[in-house]
Amino acid sequence: MPAPATASRLAGVASSPVREILALTARPEVISFAGGLPAPELFDVAGIRAAYDKVLAENSHHALQYSTTEGDPELRAAIATRLAARDLPTEPDDLLVTTGSQQALTLLTIALVEPGDVVLVEDSCYLAAQQSFGFAGARVVPVPTDDQGVIPEALEEIAARENPTLLYLVPTFQNPTGRTLPAERRSAVAGAAARLGFWIVEDDPYGEPRHDGERVPCIAADRTVLLGSFSKVMAPGLRLGFLRAPADLRRACVIAKQAADLHTSTIDQAAAARYLRDSDLDAHVAVIRAAYRERRDAMLEGLPAALPEGSRWNRPEGGMFVWVTLPAGHDATALLKTAVGHEVAYVPGAPFFSGRPDPAAMRLSFTTHPADEIREGLHRLARCFA
Ligand SMILES: Cc1ncc(COP(=O)(O)O)c(C=O)c1O
């Protein structure tokens, strides 16, 4: 007898093309603008090591034990304080610590989405979110965007027609486009959610660090779930994130998390809490901000000479990505092979679209390499168009 087949929920969900491109471009000689990876040389290794040492020296019986699903109370209190400092009044009990913010997305999807439900996403949208909604059997419906993110009038019309369960947004320094949704549009989106009765999932892994410009307040309406992450400000290998949600929905996510992994690593949470007590995360974020600003500027300065005339790109005020649109007729997916031959890589934009893909779009990450390597990478990119 053959073994039973894999579940049908896998049928429509492909492996992330971005992860596959990353595997292709992992050779050390390739200057890669592909991965959305924080700069590893900026990790505060000494501070993180000290936090783990202290936790193990002073409280190992707790740190190595099972713990509650909701998360380490000290870590939740520290996150609540950080959110309150961003004008988002938060109690520790409003929060659930998750294994990366990616898990928060999975838990929310389990808690909210029935097969056939409509989930609205920005066109284009973070791929692993689309995978998560795909596993739940959701019908993912794209909302048109412009250079500022989702277009509220289009959202209103689509939401009225489709009766969605939720709208998934990365309003600040979006992945893949680096775009930020202006405050007026955030209010319009919150208004539409209240009127038409859907949840907003506000995914905010990139809000800190901002390289320049003014902070735009979180959406933070009644029906909004905020997802946060330590991946971009501390280290992604810690796999620490959180969600802030109203009590009933948070409770449902706690139950889903019990089935997923009981709780996020006790020692990692305790070390992060200890780090937040003993080290100055804001000072560390300022270091990251300065380095990324320099790298972004190196990329923006090098792009005019690297890309064919008629190319367009944005100037993100934070995050990790510049979104490029080549002149019509170019195919960024086909070009990637040539680029890798020249030892430079990027991610084609097409897979991020759930509507009609733009073959000329590409995502360039500016965080992983120092400015001189970025300049060299752009010289190599220019050769692809020669
Ligand atoms: C938009 C978005 N959401 C969530 C995540 C997952 O982050 P985490 O490392 O917190 O799981 C990422 C990772 O790159 C992302 O780009």
Side-chain angles (χ1 to χ4, degrees):
M1 280 286 277
T6 54
S8 58
R9 73 175 67 87
L10 281 159
V13 187
S15 166
S16 160
V18 173
R19 297 226 143 247
E20 288 175 8
I21 288 165
L22 292 186
L24 272 180
T25 59
R27 288 186 285 124
E29 56 278 19
V30 174
I31 296 181
S32 180
F33 302 133
L37 305 182
E41 72 280 12
L42 298 180
F43 295 150
D44 180 8
V45 179
I48 292 175
R49 185 194 296 141
Y52 275 90
D53 281 349
K54 283 180 198 154
V55 161
L56 282 171
E58 294 167 18
N59 211 355
S60 59
H61 287 191
H62 161 77
L64 297 174
Q65 191 53 280
Y66 284 117
S67 56
T68 58
T69 302
E70 286 80 355
D72 183 307
E74 190 186 339
L75 181 60
R76 283 193 292 149
I79 296 168
T81 305
R82 290 185 70 77
L83 290 177
R86 290 168 57 192
D87 302 323
L88 195 58
T90 304
E91 295 298 324
D93 283 346
D94 298 332
L95 299 167
L96 166 63
V97 177
T98 56
T99 304
S101 58
Q102 185 65 37
Q103 186 187 46
L105 251 178
T106 306
L107 301 178
L108 278 170
T109 308
I110 292 171
L112 289 174
V113 180
E114 304 270 13
D117 278 5
V118 169
V119 169
L120 302 183
V121 299
E122 294 158 275
D123 201 19
S124 50
C125 165
Y126 172 53
L127 279 172
Q130 297 188 49
Q131 279 179 317
S132 182
F133 303 136
F135 277 132
R139 195 157 62 80
V140 174
V141 175
V143 180
T145 59
D146 60 16
D147 288 348
Q148 298 189 315
V150 282
I151 302 168
E153 296 73 27
L155 168 68
E156 188 95 26
E157 190 194 311
I158 293 173
R161 187 180 70 226
E162 298 282 359
N163 189 24
T165 303
L166 65 89
L167 164 69
Y168 170 73
L169 283 182
V170 183
T172 309
F173 315 137
Q174 197 236 16
N175 181 3
T177 62
R179 286 172 194 153
T180 292
L181 195 69
E184 324 71 82
R185 289 202 185 183
R186 293 181 190 219
S187 311
V189 166
R195 263 192 313 284
L196 298 166
F198 57 86
W199 288 95
I200 300 170
V201 176
E202 177 177 6
D203 189 5
D204 186 31
Y206 298 105
E208 302 177 89
R210 167 178 273 283
H211 315 328
D212 47 31
E214 291 293 309
R215 186 166 58 77
V216 186
C218 294
I219 296 177
D222 288 347
R223 287 235 189 127
T224 309
V225 183
L226 178 71
L227 313 189
S229 174
F230 285 102
S231 291
K232 311 303 193 270
V233 291
M234 247 187 228
L238 292 168
R239 308 304 307 124
L240 286 175
F242 59 88
L243 69 81
R244 175 188 183 276
D248 288 352
L249 180 55
R250 198 176 59 252
R251 181 78 202 134
C253 291
V254 168
I255 296 170
K257 186 168 167 65
Q258 288 167 357
D261 65 354
L262 303 182
H263 61 78
T264 294
S265 156
T266 317
I267 185 165
D268 296 340
Q269 293 187 72
R274 189 67 201 228
Y275 183 92
L276 290 167
R277 197 196 314 167
D278 293 351
S279 299
D280 185 345
L281 181 60
D282 290 328
H284 179 61
V285 170
V287 172
I288 297 176
R289 183 189 306 140
Y292 287 0
R293 188 193 298 133
E294 190 194 344
R295 293 172 189 202
R296 177 205 59 187
D297 290 347
M299 180 164 277
L300 294 175
E301 279 157 24
L303 282 175
L307 298 177
E309 214 175 304
S311 302
R312 290 181 296 114
W313 58 89
N314 57 344
R315 184 187 180 283
E317 292 187 333
M320 299 187 160
F321 307 114
V322 174
W323 184 247
V324 169
T325 309
L326 299 170
H330 283 270
D331 183 333
T333 306
L335 190 72
L336 182 61
K337 213 166 156 223
T338 315
V340 175
H342 287 290
E343 300 185 331
V344 63
Y346 57 84
V347 176
F352 295 101
F353 289 88
S354 42
R356 199 154 64 88
D358 181 350
M362 59 207 272
R363 187 192 79 176
L364 299 178
S365 161
F366 54 81
T367 53
T368 323
H369 294 278
D372 53 343
E373 288 179 20
I374 290 176
R375 283 189 276 272
E376 170 56 26
L378 292 177
H379 291 315
R380 294 181 191 179
L381 192 61
R383 281 180 219 133
C384 304
F385 300 104

